[in-house]
Amino acid sequence: MSATRGATAATQPDATGHFGPYGGRFVPETLIHALDELEAEFARARGDAAFRAELDATLRDFAGRPTPLIEAHRYSEAAGCRVFLKREDLLHTGAHKINNTIGQCLLARRMGKPRVIAETGAGQHGVATAAAAARFGLACTVYIGSEDARRQHLNVQRIRLLGAEVREVNAGSRTLKDATSEALRDWVTRVRDTHYVLGSVLGPHPFPTMVREFHRVIGVEARGQFAAQAGGLPDLLVACVGGGSNSIGLFHAFLDAASVRKVGVEAGGLGIASGRHAARIPEHSVGVLHGTRTLVLQDARGMIRPTHSVSAGLDYPAIGPEHAWLADQGLAEYAHATDDEALEAFETLAKLEGILPALETAHALAWVLREGRALGRETRVIVNLSGRGDKDVEEVLRVRAKGARPASAAYDAARAPVL
Ligand SMILES: *Cc1c(COP(=O)(O)O)cnc(C)c1O
């Protein structure tokens, strides 16, 4: 966290938390004081050597940092370019999320708040918050949509075993968007004793900046590891983008290096034309959701549209405001991969490298599998392996079984006349 290399004026929000036209604070009056308090405490903590020492020690001994960077030789062969994996999947609780929850739980303790709350989609942020809260002796409540609770049953049980309370949300599409709304409502009513551990680079200022800073360690480590192992800078960085925390964590330390392409991969779901996806960049529609102005999926009347992705962690209608700003300036590019492409990449990485990636991560891997030949054998790519796929085993089996039925029915129908 100590390296400041890569910070540029263009990527900082202004004093009111705006990234160009995006970001800011769109919240009820009752939260303004808490957000001011958080911003001030975060600034003080960053300048406090004792805080940084405890954060670094906890990241090392509790979470397992630094994570390795490894060259994936067999996957590279399949993709047609040189692929290096930043192993955030090896972190405690299975994803990059713990970098942020440790940081925010330490801040909650500094602010004298005995209770934290969180929203969760795939359950990973809920598990990471519950784990950090247990470590620091904080009470914890996690909001999850009831549809996600069904899809991510195992993570719901892990959160409970870690001593946190789980509240299922039955409103709306019963997914991450609805859990986030409910967590914000809780915060409004209990802001004096509660800190909201927001799980991505979303929400009102200072969350997008603060969460980015807690994940910036990913890119700082990767840059040093790449230089030591392979020499120089990579040609390309690739990461999946839900809210955008693992991707900004990797990209940010390379923003001063214009020669390094940065590609964020959104959830293409059943294809952009189908309307059933979670790709916010191609539509470029500006709106306000959960306290921030950014690119959102909405209809002509400004109603938030339902989203779809095979991965719960990418299934969210807004993208972090800093990504919207990076996209506008051409400082990062955004692409998408479909459910089917992600499933194929999931199986390919498993069989060729012995790693089950999270379905979210599989979208980044899918982009490399699709584009690798065009990039060429000498092109050196770092993929952020944001999480492990243990949580997704049941969902992959379920989707595969569902996909197999229509395919074999079509096959049988085609063969029927012959038989
Ligand atoms: C939550 C999650 C994501 C998506 O969130 P970002 O904020 O975009 O990083 C991606 N990968 C994994 C493994 C996750 O758990």
Side-chain angles (χ1 to χ4, degrees), residues 95-97 124 200 240-246 313-314 358 360-361 386-387:
H96 69 289
K97 299 270 186 347
Q124 288 302 107
S200 191
C240 64
V241 187
S245 68
N246 87 85
L314 302 186
E360 290 82 7
T361 316
S386 56

Side-chain angles (χ1 to χ4, degrees), residues 136-189:
F136 297 120
L138 304 167
C140 178
T141 296
V142 176
Y143 288 90
I144 183 167
S146 52
E147 171 63 16
D148 287 337
R150 183 195 61 74
R151 286 196 281 191
Q152 305 291 340
H153 175 75
L154 186 62
N155 272 344
V156 170
Q157 298 309 327
R158 290 168 78 199
I159 294 167
R160 292 204 168 109
L161 288 170
L162 289 164
E165 178 199 5
V166 176
R167 290 193 190 156
E168 289 193 21
V169 178
N170 273 307
S173 56
R174 304 188 189 89
T175 58
L176 181 56
K177 164 176 74 68
D178 314 289
T180 307
S181 299
E182 217 38 51
L184 276 167
R185 248 172 244 134
D186 177 315
W187 203 30
V188 169
T189 62

Side-chain angles (χ1 to χ4, degrees), residues 287-350:
V288 169
L289 183 65
H290 296 141
T292 192
R293 182 195 285 121
T294 186
L295 300 181
V296 301
L297 287 169
Q298 59 190 338
D299 66 19
R301 292 174 305 147
M303 299 293 286
I304 295 300
R305 274 169 39 191
T307 50
H308 165 83
S309 173
V310 69
S311 65
L314 302 186
D315 204 350
Y316 182 75
I319 190 169
E322 187 168 9
H323 284 288
W325 183 223
L326 291 176
D328 277 9
Q329 298 174 97
L331 292 174
E333 304 159 48
Y334 296 83
H336 42 82
T338 63
D339 287 356
D340 285 346
E341 289 175 312
L343 285 162
E344 188 193 336
F346 176 97
E347 297 194 18
T348 305
L349 192 79

